Amino acid sequence: MSHAVPWPVSLSPTRNYVDGQFVTTAKTFPNICPINGVKLADVHEADAGLVDRAVHAARQALSGPWGRMSPAERSAVLHKVADGIERRFEDFVAAEVSDTGRPVAQARTLDVYRGVANFRTFADLARLAGGETFDMRTADGQDIMNYTVRKPHGVVGIISPWNLPLLLLTWKVAPALACGNTVVVKPSEETPSSATLLAEVMHEAGVPPGVFNLLHGFGPDSAGEFLTRHPELDAITFTGESRTGSTIMKAAAEGVREVSFELGGKNAAVVFADADFDEAVAGVIRSSFTNSGQVCLCSERVYVERSIFDRFVAALKEKTEALKIGYPDEDGVNMGSLISHGHRDKVLSYFKLAVEEGATVVTGGGVPHFGDERDQGAFVQPTIWTGLPDTARCVREEVFGPVCHIAPFDTEEEVIARVNDSPYGLAACVWTTNLKRAHNVSRQFRVGIAWVNTWFLRDLRTPFGGAKLSGLGREGGRHSLDFYSEISNICIRL
Ligand SMILES: O=C(O)C(=O)/C=C/C=C/O
């Protein structure tokens, strides 16, 4: 199949969006398509002055029509945004695919699908959420009543990552707006396109100027840092690497702003001998290689009960080598490129390190050869390692690529201790048909979310976030409403 270069072009000139206006700037940087290394568009970089204008516009909008809306009125606006994404569904698919190289099928069924779902879920949750009331009689006989009210924090800074651009951007924007805040968003410099489309949809949906502001740029000494350091932000929410999270946390400490972080992971998949074997193989293929392993929830550590270890490794090798790597719109494609050449260099450095640490490379470990423009892209082979000790860097550090290390284990106690022996604590999955074991093992993992006989199935009402270096706080359902609201308690003597 031959493809015009670049595949396909990005849909919107990637401009900033401040106070209801699309803004170009003198300084631009290229948006490179990771499928073939070709420039898709120039991205207009926001400078400190534009960041300042965006924060002030967001502040101003709080005392405008947006600030006077009821939860039900805000909910209606957010449903209109969801309608707008649905109306331009294929534009969003093309934007995500252009920026990331992912399969079209994934962009449709995961990324853009969740963009709509996030807005609809939080539009409804905010409209239907109530507060708390308490009645009591004091020791000296006074009757008092307490009730809570939710108010927006104010201006929320949102820094969103490149791995699931629209999903994670809307996972933050939707609840923040549903709770009456205004937002200033800085998407990753790697994935500006779907965020720019979202600004167009917000504009078309009549979201008042200043409610949603979009700034393009990098982190340090660019829009990301100018935003997180801005003294007039009331809260900051960030998804990305733990190291960056800690830098942002330091900036947020000035002025003691609320922070919510969803950071890195080194997640484990545990397969017991009593698991449904074929389901477990298919599940670990998904949890290791979805989105080219660029999901914070992916399993880079796999522990398999010793009695089925060799059979499982052979089966996973066979399924991995059957994965179709290629263009996003190829029939049956399973895996696309990584996000960039820079990230591919990082992943390849771990491929090299694994061999130095003594790993057996069961499959992969290099770069696929296509013999066409894709050789200028950022592809790597899905890779499986065995034979490393738990102390190896490749078993402790997040690679964030299509790779997993498989190790045998003998007992429940042993594998639980090994899973928990990590500075991270985001997610885990366990494969077993023993119901008692499923409950006992999954609840002993020190993680934010544990899946049993599945992976990355999401009910948006559930708490989502990580323990240890994997993050701070929980978002999802009422947890998002609690993070994006200032809750006041009113006490009345009756
Ligand atoms: O599914 C979600 O709501 C979510 O936050 C996923 C995060 C994945 C990060 O890489």
Side-chain angles (χ1 to χ4, degrees):
M1 171 182 285
S2 67
H3 285 258
V5 171
W7 188 101
V9 286
S10 189
L11 288 134
S12 298
T14 28
R15 298 165 293 173
N16 303 280
Y17 182 68
V18 174
D19 203 13
Q21 304 288 325
F22 286 95
V23 181
T24 56
T25 60
K27 196 173 170 196
T28 62
F29 58 91
N31 177 13
I32 303 295
C33 180
I35 300 165
N36 52 22
V38 173
K39 185 172 88 168
L40 286 166
D42 286 317
V43 187
H44 292 267
E45 185 174 357
D47 62 10
L50 190 56
V51 172
D52 198 44
R53 267 177 52 197
V55 174
H56 290 144
R59 174 70 53 197
Q60 198 64 32
L62 288 167
S63 46
W66 182 252
R68 293 191 289 273
M69 279 189 195
S70 68
E73 287 165 330
R74 288 198 300 268
S75 171
V77 171
L78 294 188
H79 275 299
K80 277 179 72 178
V81 172
D83 296 344
I85 298 173
E86 278 179 338
R87 214 173 15 259
R88 302 189 62 179
F89 198 97
E90 288 307 314
D91 293 347
F92 278 94
V93 168
E96 290 293 69
V97 167
S98 305
D99 284 5
T100 66
R102 70 195 49 200
V104 167
Q106 178 196 316
R108 284 208 181 105
T109 57
L110 177 63
D111 302 87
V112 184
Y113 169 81
R114 274 290 303 278
V116 177
N118 288 344
F119 273 102
R120 296 220 190 279
T121 297
F122 288 107
D124 292 344
L125 276 174
R127 179 168 53 85
L128 298 172
E132 297 172 288
T133 60
F134 304 93
D135 279 335
M136 76 172 275
R137 176 165 295 167
T138 61
D140 60 358
Q142 301 181 72
D143 283 326
I144 58 173
M145 182 191 122
N146 284 273
Y147 66 95
T148 59
V149 288
R150 286 181 187 281
K151 287 170 271 183
H153 283 304
V155 178
V156 177
I158 298 177
I159 310 282
S160 56
W162 50 256
N163 65 312
L164 298 171
L166 188 69
L167 186 156
L168 287 168
L169 171 60
T170 55
W171 180 243
K172 311 272 184 188
V173 169
L177 297 185
C179 293
N181 300 285
T182 55
V183 298
V184 183
V185 169
K186 207 294 285 180
S188 167
E189 61 279 11
E190 303 283 4
T191 52
S193 301
S194 57
T196 307
L197 269 185
L198 182 61
E200 292 181 13
V201 164
M202 291 271 179
H203 194 71
E204 290 151 15
V207 174
V211 171
F212 176 88
N213 300 280
L214 169 68
L215 301 167
H216 290 300
F218 302 82
D221 197 27
S222 183
E225 180 176 341
F226 303 150
L227 179 59
T228 51
R229 286 192 177 286
H230 199 290
E232 290 178 49
L233 279 192
D234 297 302
I236 298 173
T237 180
F238 166 71
T239 298
E241 282 189 274
S242 299
R243 200 177 45 252
T244 313
S246 138
T247 305
I248 292 175
M249 195 166 165
K250 288 187 190 109
E254 293 293 316
V256 194
R257 272 81 55 85
E258 298 260 352
V259 290
S260 165
F261 291 146
E262 202 260 280
L263 305 175
K266 189 67 177 182
N267 311 305
V270 177
V271 183
F272 284 92
D274 63 24
D276 176 314
F277 187 86
D278 294 340
E279 253 191 26
V281 170
V284 172
I285 286 284
R286 271 192 67 231
S287 70
S288 298
F289 303 125
T290 294
N291 201 39
S292 300
Q294 299 169 124
V295 182
C296 53
L297 305 162
C298 276
S299 316
E300 293 192 2
R301 295 186 286 158
V302 182
Y303 298 97
V304 177
E305 195 164 359
R306 196 175 297 277
S307 60
I308 62 164
F309 178 77
D310 292 339
R311 185 172 152 232
F312 189 89
V313 171
L316 203 74
K317 172 180 174 11
E318 184 194 343
K319 291 281 187 221
T320 300
E321 290 172 350
L323 288 173
K324 188 170 180 182
I325 308 163
Y327 281 110
D329 62 344
E330 280 187 79
D331 290 343
V333 66
N334 303 106
M335 215 177 91
S337 65
L338 293 175
I339 188 68
S340 68
H341 291 105
H343 184 59
R344 182 175 70 168
D345 293 344
K346 174 192 168 188
V347 173
L348 291 176
S349 74
Y350 277 100
F351 284 8
K352 181 169 173 290
L353 176 65
V355 173
E356 290 162 2
E357 292 191 303
T360 298
V361 181
V362 175
T363 186
V367 172
H369 175 68
F370 296 103
D372 60 31
E373 59 178 346
R374 288 170 294 178
D375 291 338
Q376 280 68 53
F379 291 83
V380 295
Q381 293 169 326
T383 296
I384 299 173
W385 301 316
T386 56
L388 289 175
D390 285 0
T391 51
R393 284 184 52 200
C394 290
V395 180
R396 296 192 69 77
E397 296 173 16
E398 182 177 52
V399 178
F400 217 63
V403 62
C404 65
H405 176 264
I406 315 178
F409 72 88
D410 296 301
T411 67
E412 273 186 23
E413 293 68 27
E414 173 206 336
V415 74
I416 290 166
R418 293 172 71 182
V419 167
N420 289 336
D421 175 22
S422 167
Y424 294 105
L426 183 57
C429 49
V430 56
W431 299 87
T432 175
T433 52
N434 177 327
L435 191 59
K436 187 167 182 295
R437 166 174 278 167
H439 287 285
N440 286 335
V441 168
S442 53
R443 57 201 302 157
Q444 290 182 69
F445 292 145
R446 267 209 70 205
V447 293
I449 181 163
W451 280 287
V452 177
N453 296 329
T454 187
W455 175 75
F456 202 12
L457 272 196
R458 295 274 292 113
D459 178 330
L460 306 187
R461 294 167 297 181
T462 56
F464 188 97
K468 300 190 268 186
L469 275 183
S470 293
L472 263 184
R474 292 292 181 270
E475 296 193 33
R478 66 165 181 75
H479 304 274
S480 294
L481 303 188
D482 289 349
F483 173 70
Y484 290 105
S485 302
E486 194 68 64
I487 297 175
S488 302
N489 180 69
I490 314 298
C491 176
I492 299 183
R493 185 166 56 79
L494 303 175

